[in-house]
């Protein structure tokens, strides 16, 4: 079992800043708890309630003395918000050690019962951060009153991504085969890639190319989701597919291929649709999800997933148009990165709501409604070409690298539009629409598990 | 039991909770100091006493503060001071 504390970048920046102060800082982080299908825990950080100035009776580089008014008010708030309260403090100064001191362990023992009781939370959390040259180092624990487990990972989600391991945890080594990557972006990013859990929704031309690149890049844990069987016209685009695989589930063809490249990786093929609640819930274990599906209903699920569960989603699409006489006249690619603070796919108009509704109907219902003029007809077989699906897949994977390495322009654009027919690339950022679920004011960002799941009908 | 209460009026009994434990009291008002005496051993000076006020912030109850007792009231105690530290700095 691993426990990951997922922190929106704004909150992470504050933690980082507080860790560089000359004196210690305390506070309570409120986080929604999500148990994943693989029995891991994700704590989705919602807010940090810092100890108010008047509650510090002593505040020095090596210690704090805080009155009860400094942390008790946060507990009622935790109860109200259905959150686990995490007692947080810093060990300031560059290069200082975030391991708990003897004092800290005493504090944890004295707070555990109270925090769980007053916040009506099954857990008491504790987090200590330090700063190491601008990055966060930390230790953390989660205590259910019986046993204490570590907080293993801190996953910072936003325009830039960062994965930190608890400084008392063991690092897995990096294989020599990634030497060329390391020469490009260094060992730490390579380690992060090796520790990421990725989900890929849609395993056609784009999804299979994303999967292959992720494996070659060093990602070792990949979940593949696609309902379809391979058809002969898929073989022209789907990586790893051969004519003799026609009729097999796409996810299995791809999973076999990935395991052939690197047998040590863990690939989980799931032959299902993301619009099935059980399947969507499997993505609770993912740190990052690539949206490589063509269906609008699926995109709506991914869009909500990124808001409610703080899972960054890199959604991509390819659209080819011809002039009707078999000549390509438009080659459009789109890569949109969804994370807290950016507009979702609906706010961006990237989802056709009418089509999404149609996709959720049974074929009989759909045909009837289309005949009656109440539903749009779903498109037939669309043109697709391996060069363009691969180009867009590469652009999507490049977004992941860019966000982990933190190179490139600032602010980071959240969408890349490729107009390959004109050999042009453009980028944009877009604010969420007022009152939409993806907007900060909705209170849905990092809300975690809701009933119904993702606040939508399944 | 009625003979102990002239007029046959049974005194009201209130059920209140401090931390996880339920206490039965008959007083309609109690001071912070009196509330501290309910648990065994009594709540020491190293812990602060708070009252849960639904919909509002918890109220810290000083020794002289008079609390109106109603059924179902909840109180909890919290360490009066916490002292997390980097290293052990000895302030004796
Ligand atoms: Zn939106
Ligand atoms: Zn400490």
């Amino acid at each position: 079992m691993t426990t990951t504390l997922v922190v929106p970048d704004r909150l992470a920046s504050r933690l980082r800043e507080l860790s560089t102060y000359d004196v210690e800082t305390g506070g309570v982080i409120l986080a929604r708890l999500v148990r994943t299908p693989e029995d891991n825990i994700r704590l989705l950080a919602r807010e940090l309630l810092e100890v108010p100035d008047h509650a510090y009776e002593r505040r020095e580089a090596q210690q704090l003395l805080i009155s009860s008014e400094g942390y008790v008010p946060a507990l009622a708030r935790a109860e109200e918000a259905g959150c686990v309260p995490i007692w947080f403090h810093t060990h300031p100064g560059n290069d200082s050690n975030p391991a708990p001191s003897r004092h800290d362990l005493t504090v944890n023992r004295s707070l555990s019962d109270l925090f769980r009781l007053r916040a009506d939370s099954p857990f008491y959390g504790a987090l200590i951060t330090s700063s190491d040259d601008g990055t966060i180092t930390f230790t953390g624990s989660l205590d259910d009153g019986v046993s204490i487990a570590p907080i293993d990972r801190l996953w910072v989600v936003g325009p830039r991504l960062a994965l930190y391991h608890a400084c008392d945890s063991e690092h897995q080594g990096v294989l020599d085969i990634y030497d060329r990557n390391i020469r490009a972006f260094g060992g730490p990013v390579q380690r992060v890639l090796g520790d990421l859990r990725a989900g890929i929704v849609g395993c056609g031309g784009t999804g299979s190319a994303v999967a292959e690149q992720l494996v070659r890049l060093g990602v070792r844990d990949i979940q593949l989701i696609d309902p379809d069987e391979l058809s002969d016209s898929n073989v022209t685009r789907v990586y790893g597919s051969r004519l003799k695989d026609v009729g097999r589930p796409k996810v299995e063809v791809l999973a076999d291929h990935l395991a052939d490249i690197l047998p040590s990786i863990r690939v989980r093929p799931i032959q299902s649709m993301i619009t099935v609640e059980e399947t969507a819930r499997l993505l609770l274990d993912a740190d990052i999800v690539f949206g490589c599906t063509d269906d609008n209903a699926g995109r709506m699920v991914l869009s909500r997933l990124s808001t409610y569960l703080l899972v960054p989603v890199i959604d991509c699409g390819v659209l080819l148009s011809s002039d009707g006489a078999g000549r390509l006249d438009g080659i459009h690619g789109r890569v949109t990165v969804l994370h807290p603070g950016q507009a979702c796919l609906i706010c961006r108009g990237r989802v056709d709501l009418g089509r999404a509704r149609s996709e959720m109907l049974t074929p009989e219902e759909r045909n009837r409604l289309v005949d009656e003029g109440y539903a749009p007809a779903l498109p037939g077989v669309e043109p697709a070409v391996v060069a363009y699906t691969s180009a867009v897949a590469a652009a999507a994977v490049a977004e992941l690298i860019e966000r982990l390495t933190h190179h490139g322009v600032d602010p980071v654009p959240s969408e890349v539009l490729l107009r390959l027919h004109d050999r042009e690339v453009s980028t944009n950022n877009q604010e969420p629409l007022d009152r939409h679920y993806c907007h900060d004011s909705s209170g849905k960002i990092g809300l975690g598990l809701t009933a119904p799941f993702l606040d939508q009908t399944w | 039991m009625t003979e102990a209460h002239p007029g046959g009026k049974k005194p009201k009994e209130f059920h209140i909770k401090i931390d996880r434990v339920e206490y039965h009291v008959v007083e309609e008002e109690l001071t912070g100091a009196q509330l501290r005496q309910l648990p065994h051993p009594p709540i020491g000076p190293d812990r602060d006493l708070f009252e849960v006020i639904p919909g509002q912030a918890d109220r810290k109850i000083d020794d002289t503060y008079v609390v109106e007792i109603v059924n179902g009231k909840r109180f909890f105690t919290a360490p009066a001071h916490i002292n997390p530290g980097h290293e052990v700095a000895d302030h004796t």
Side-chain angles (χ1 to χ4, degrees):
Chain A
M1 186 193 89
T2 52
T3 298
T4 304
L5 177 60
V6 188
V7 187
D9 67 325
R10 249 181 298 171
L11 187 47
S13 304
R14 185 65 183 151
L15 297 181
R16 196 177 295 122
E17 186 184 348
L18 293 173
S19 311
T20 62
Y21 282 14
D22 303 339
V23 288
E24 285 195 19
T25 302
V28 180
I29 295 170
L30 306 188
R32 298 277 288 198
L33 182 126
V34 174
R35 264 183 210 284
T36 73
E38 301 216 311
D39 213 24
N40 295 313
I41 288 179
R42 292 178 92 81
L43 294 162
L44 312 179
R46 301 260 290 164
E47 51 187 316
L48 164 65
L49 303 169
E50 291 175 33
V51 170
D53 283 343
H54 66 81
Y56 286 108
E57 294 176 350
R58 217 164 36 223
R59 191 177 184 189
E60 297 162 9
Q62 304 284 320
Q63 66 163 346
L64 291 176
L65 190 65
I66 297 169
S67 70
S68 59
E69 284 103 329
Y71 62 91
V72 165
L75 305 180
R77 175 110 191 88
E79 183 194 35
E80 188 183 80
C83 284
V84 172
I86 301 170
W87 164 246
F88 155 77
H89 75 282
T90 60
H91 286 179
N94 229 349
D95 257 354
S96 55
N97 184 355
S101 68
R102 198 160 53 88
H103 270 59
D104 290 331
L105 298 174
T106 309
V107 168
N108 287 346
R109 274 193 298 275
S110 72
L111 294 184
S112 169
D113 208 39
L114 161 67
F115 270 50
R116 288 181 293 111
L117 172 80
R118 179 60 191 98
D120 193 25
S121 158
F123 293 101
Y124 161 73
L127 182 78
I128 304 172
T129 64
S130 293
S131 164
D132 179 14
D133 248 354
T135 68
I136 299 176
T137 57
F138 80 98
T139 63
S141 60
L142 206 54
D143 169 0
D144 64 3
V146 180
S147 58
I148 300 174
I151 295 175
D152 307 281
R153 317 190 309 157
L154 201 154
W155 178 223
V156 178
V157 295
R160 307 227 147 132
L161 303 168
L163 181 68
Y164 304 115
H165 285 86
C167 71
D168 48 1
S169 71
E170 278 174 28
H171 268 320
Q172 210 160 357
V174 169
L175 298 178
D176 290 340
I177 58 168
Y178 300 115
D179 172 60
R180 298 290 196 108
N181 290 353
I182 293 168
R183 286 170 194 273
F185 47 64
V189 171
Q190 187 64 53
R191 259 197 298 279
V192 169
L193 286 167
D195 196 57
L196 276 185
R197 295 156 196 233
I200 299 175
V201 178
C203 296
T206 323
S208 64
V210 165
E212 169 138 7
Q213 289 181 35
L214 290 184
V215 167
R216 296 192 192 278
L217 202 53
V219 176
R220 291 184 301 209
D221 189 313
I222 299 179
Q223 210 165 35
L224 303 172
I225 298 177
D226 193 300
D228 295 332
E229 272 104 41
L230 191 82
S231 68
D232 53 4
S233 72
N234 289 149
V235 179
T236 56
R237 289 179 314 287
V238 174
Y239 282 74
S241 73
R242 301 156 303 179
L243 264 183
K244 64 179 178 184
D245 293 314
V246 169
R248 293 180 64 207
K250 278 183 187 169
V251 288
E252 279 176 23
V253 173
L254 186 54
D256 288 351
H257 175 58
L258 300 179
D260 268 351
I261 298 173
L262 213 58
S264 61
I265 60 170
R266 177 166 178 252
V267 186
R268 282 158 295 154
I270 296 135
Q271 190 184 3
S272 179
M273 296 194 304
I274 191 68
T275 48
V276 173
E277 180 179 349
E278 265 186 340
T279 310
R281 281 178 180 270
L282 295 174
L283 292 175
L284 291 175
D285 270 297
D287 296 313
I288 181 115
V289 171
F290 286 83
C292 304
T293 167
D294 262 341
D295 74 304
N296 291 266
R299 284 213 174 95
M300 286 173 65
V301 174
L302 292 180
S303 215
R304 283 179 176 264
L305 190 84
S306 73
T307 296
Y308 281 74
L309 293 147
L310 303 182
V311 180
V313 171
I314 302 180
D315 185 69
C316 44
V318 188
L319 186 67
L320 304 187
S321 57
S322 347
D323 64 359
R327 273 190 302 266
L328 266 176
D329 60 3
I331 308 164
H332 298 269
R334 174 184 59 79
V335 178
T336 308
V337 185
L338 304 176
H339 57 74
Q342 275 295 311
C344 73
L345 293 172
I346 294 146
C347 285
R348 287 176 175 277
R350 300 299 180 206
V351 172
D352 183 326
L353 296 173
R355 272 212 217 165
R357 269 191 296 275
S358 263
E359 287 160 3
M360 297 302 282
L361 302 171
T362 63
E364 297 76 41
E365 285 172 330
R366 189 184 307 135
N367 288 338
R368 189 172 57 77
L369 289 171
V370 169
D371 287 346
E372 292 170 6
Y374 289 120
L378 294 182
V381 178
E382 307 244 32
V385 176
V386 65
Y388 308 127
T389 49
S390 302
V392 175
V397 174
E399 282 300 318
L400 172 63
I401 299 170
E402 144 85 21
R403 279 147 207 283
L404 289 172
T405 56
H406 304 184
H407 69 252
V409 295
D410 190 25
V412 190
S414 56
E415 189 167 75
V416 180
L417 299 173
L418 308 166
R419 286 185 302 283
L420 295 170
H421 54 283
D422 284 335
R423 295 177 171 76
E424 271 184 5
V425 180
S426 63
T427 63
N428 66 68
N429 273 298
Q430 196 165 319
E431 297 280 311
L433 295 179
D434 240 5
R435 286 193 291 277
H436 202 242
Y437 66 77
C438 64
H439 194 280
D440 225 353
S441 64
S442 71
K444 306 293 190 190
I445 297 175
L447 192 57
L449 298 178
T450 52
F453 184 51
L454 302 180
D455 280 343
Q456 72 163 38
T457 47
W458 292 88
Chain B
M1 297 302 273
T2 43
E3 54 270 54
H5 306 287
K9 243 171 119 190
K10 208 178 160 190
K12 267 193 256 167
E13 196 186 51
F14 305 104
H15 299 208
I16 61 172
K17 261 190 181 176
I18 302 177
D19 291 336
R20 281 187 180 80
V21 183
E22 191 166 274
Y23 299 92
H24 301 187
V25 299
V26 293
E27 293 85 352
E28 296 188 351
E29 289 181 339
L30 285 172
T31 62
Q34 288 171 314
L35 283 165
R36 282 178 173 273
Q37 294 302 314
L38 292 177
H40 294 287
I43 301 164
D46 59 326
R47 293 186 81 81
D48 287 336
L49 179 66
F50 287 85
E51 179 186 347
V52 176
I53 303 175
Q56 287 178 46
D58 299 327
R59 177 188 290 144
K60 190 173 162 191
I61 307 295
D62 292 329
D63 278 2
T64 55
Y65 189 87
V66 178
V67 182
E68 185 197 342
I69 301 298
V70 295
N71 226 357
K73 260 204 174 169
R74 282 164 62 209
F75 301 87
F76 64 93
T77 67
H81 307 277
I82 55 173
N83 181 204
H86 233 220
E87 282 164 24
V88 182
D90 208 8
H91 290 266
T92 41

